[in-house]
Amino acid sequence: MKRVQKYCFLCLIMVFALSLVNAQTTISGIIKFKGAHVYNNMIVNEVQGNKIVPIDTIKIDAKGRYEIKLEMEQPMLYVVKFMPSQNETTYWFVEPKKNVKLDYEIDEYPVLSGVKGSKNMEVYKTFVEINRPIELLNRKYYSASGEDKKKIEEEFRYIYPQIQTSIKNHILENKNVLISAFLVTCFDQEFADYFPVYEAVRDNLIAKYPNNLFVKNLDERVKKAVLVGSMAPEIIMNSPNGEELKLSDLRGKVVLVDFWASWCGPCRRENPNVVRLYEKYKDKGFEIFSVSLDKDKNAWVKAIDDDNLKWKWHVSDLKYWSSAAAKLYGISSIPSTVLVGKDGKIIAKNLRGYELEKKLQEIFND
């Protein structure tokens, strides 16, 4: 059920930079409590780069009304938590010099029920509505056990492609709305599959918002996309003993670029299969170039030894998720793999287990 968690926007938070005059924005609305859950306050947190900074607390009056005035120079993303429980969260993406009305209905959790004065929030509201079946399954899954979890996983596998298609269509219909540059990142784990969507959003926003930081980053990502059929970008990093190793030194071999870490449970569980395939195909021209997202060298070295990862090509800059190689390849989750052919071009991405073995059998005529 890993992908059920993919719509956690807190992992995707960004500040949208525009050169606009500093102005006051008013956000207000009415909250209707339909069940036993009643909240008295809303804590408003401003997203500042990769930090969440509390800036104000809004009092919800006896009639469910709230209002806040915000100073901003540019469109901003806010994370809003309902109190006394901080587990229920909503998100605001608002622009300077706007009067925005956002209404909510709260039964078991907050639902954005009405939007006035913000096209961005209208687009966001529809996005959340499309994704609601996934959110409901997510909530059910983490309170379920045994057979119930298996049933939820089956239901997820059935509806997931439909939800993804609906979200894709919604973003494409609103590709000229700034928030789409934020929403499109929900496809980050399947970037190659949804590359045309990223490209369409970039093409429709870059001229309108040329100085917007997030749009500029999106533009760079599209330009530097690492896709099947393209040349694998060079990786130059140090091994545990300080030796500089290059991916290009393995040209002429079929190479599995394996992004992993000692602290990654799924990575460690996959390692025995990687070791088995290495032993099976190493004499036929197969090699593994392991890129660790560790930040603790001792933990990295111990995991290499414990998991019997006996090949030479282990590298890391020990920068965790700030790993230069991970950024270069657009890695947002691990384990992730990139299979590179003898000519240095990418053959496939994110193959593991049976799918990886099947591909190697095809390549080596096994």
Side-chain angles (χ1 to χ4, degrees), residues 7 19 68 92 113 117 159 177 186 205 289-290 295 308 329 353 360:
Y7 296 100
S19 299
I68 186 172
W92 294 347
S113 58
I159 71 168
V177 181
C186 76
L205 293 177
F289 193 91
S290 294
K295 54 185 176 182
N308 197 30
Y329 277 75
L360 292 176

Side-chain angles (χ1 to χ4, degrees), residues 114-353:
V115 175
K116 288 184 181 180
S118 172
K119 179 64 175 177
N120 283 292
M121 287 303 294
E122 288 176 7
V123 172
Y124 173 70
K125 177 177 180 291
T126 302
F127 176 89
V128 172
E129 289 169 352
I130 294 171
N131 186 56
R132 189 162 295 144
I134 295 292
E135 175 63 24
L136 292 174
L137 284 179
N138 186 32
R139 290 170 180 265
K140 286 172 60 178
Y141 183 81
Y142 287 103
S143 62
S145 59
E147 290 300 316
D148 289 337
K149 280 197 171 185
K150 290 183 180 179
K151 291 179 181 178
I152 294 170
E153 289 173 356
E154 290 175 3
E155 187 177 354
F156 173 79
R157 283 192 291 269
Y158 175 75
I159 71 168
Y160 178 76
Q162 302 171 43
I163 298 296
Q164 290 292 81
T165 297
S166 296
I167 289 174
K168 178 190 73 173
N169 292 338
H170 176 60
I171 291 174
L172 289 175
E173 288 167 4
N174 294 280
K175 56 184 178 289
N176 61 340
V177 181
L178 183 56
I179 197 172
S180 292
F182 173 69
L183 298 181
V184 74
T185 59
C186 76
F187 296 127
D188 275 359
Q189 290 184 335
E190 299 160 294
F191 176 77
D193 294 336
Y194 289 92
F195 177 76
V197 184
Y198 286 79
E199 193 172 36
V201 172
R202 186 280 308 270
D203 290 348
N204 279 270
L205 293 177
I206 193 66
K208 188 177 180 181
Y209 302 103
N211 297 317
N212 178 274
L213 179 61
F214 193 52
V215 174
K216 288 166 67 176
N217 288 342
L218 179 61
D219 181 44
E220 286 298 308
R221 188 168 183 189
V222 168
K223 288 177 178 177
K224 296 179 179 178
V226 179
L227 303 175
V228 172
S230 64
M231 292 296 296
E234 176 69 291
I235 299 175
I236 304 175
M237 282 185 176
N238 288 343
S239 69
N241 63 11
E243 180 184 359
E244 184 179 270
L245 300 178
K246 299 179 181 180
L247 176 60
S248 60
D249 286 342
L250 291 174
R251 190 66 54 82
K253 292 181 177 289
V254 175
V255 182
L256 183 71
V257 183
D258 187 14
F259 293 88
W260 75 295
S262 67
W263 46 262
C264 170
C267 303
R268 304 293 296 275
R269 289 191 290 273
E270 175 67 9
N271 275 344
N273 182 61
V274 176
V275 170
R276 181 178 64 82
L277 293 176
Y278 174 72
E279 291 293 341
K280 184 175 182 180
Y281 291 107
K282 65 179 182 178
D283 294 333
K284 297 184 177 183
F286 178 56
E287 192 55 80
I288 299 173
F289 193 91
S290 294
V291 182
S292 169
L293 271 60
D294 275 287
K295 54 185 176 182
D296 182 329
K297 181 178 179 180
N298 291 333
W300 172 36
V301 173
K302 185 176 186 301
I304 292 172
D305 184 56
D306 289 348
D307 292 2
N308 197 30
L309 310 182
K310 57 184 68 177
W311 47 90
K312 167 187 175 181
W313 306 89
H314 288 278
V315 299
S316 180
D317 56 11
L318 299 175
K319 292 183 178 180
Y320 196 47
W321 285 110
S322 295
S323 163
K327 288 184 176 181
L328 183 63
Y329 277 75
I331 302 300
S332 59
S333 65
I334 53 175
S336 286
T337 63
V338 177
L339 189 63
V340 180
K342 295 179 180 180
D343 59 358
K345 292 183 178 180
I346 296 172
I347 298 173
K349 298 178 71 174
N350 289 323
L351 297 181
R352 291 186 290 277

Side-chain angles (χ1 to χ4, degrees), residues 47-86:
V47 176
Q48 299 179 2
N50 60 355
K51 296 181 180 179
I52 305 296
V53 180
I55 60 169
D56 206 348
T57 299
I58 312 173
K59 178 71 176 177
I60 303 171
D61 71 16
K63 295 183 178 180
R65 297 174 299 193
Y66 73 92
E67 181 177 300
I68 186 172
K69 296 184 184 297
L70 299 168
E71 296 284 344
M72 64 185 72
E73 298 178 354
Q74 57 198 18
M76 297 292 292
L77 180 66
Y78 296 90
V79 180
V80 182
K81 296 181 177 292
F82 290 85
M83 297 294 290
S85 170
Q86 291 200 52

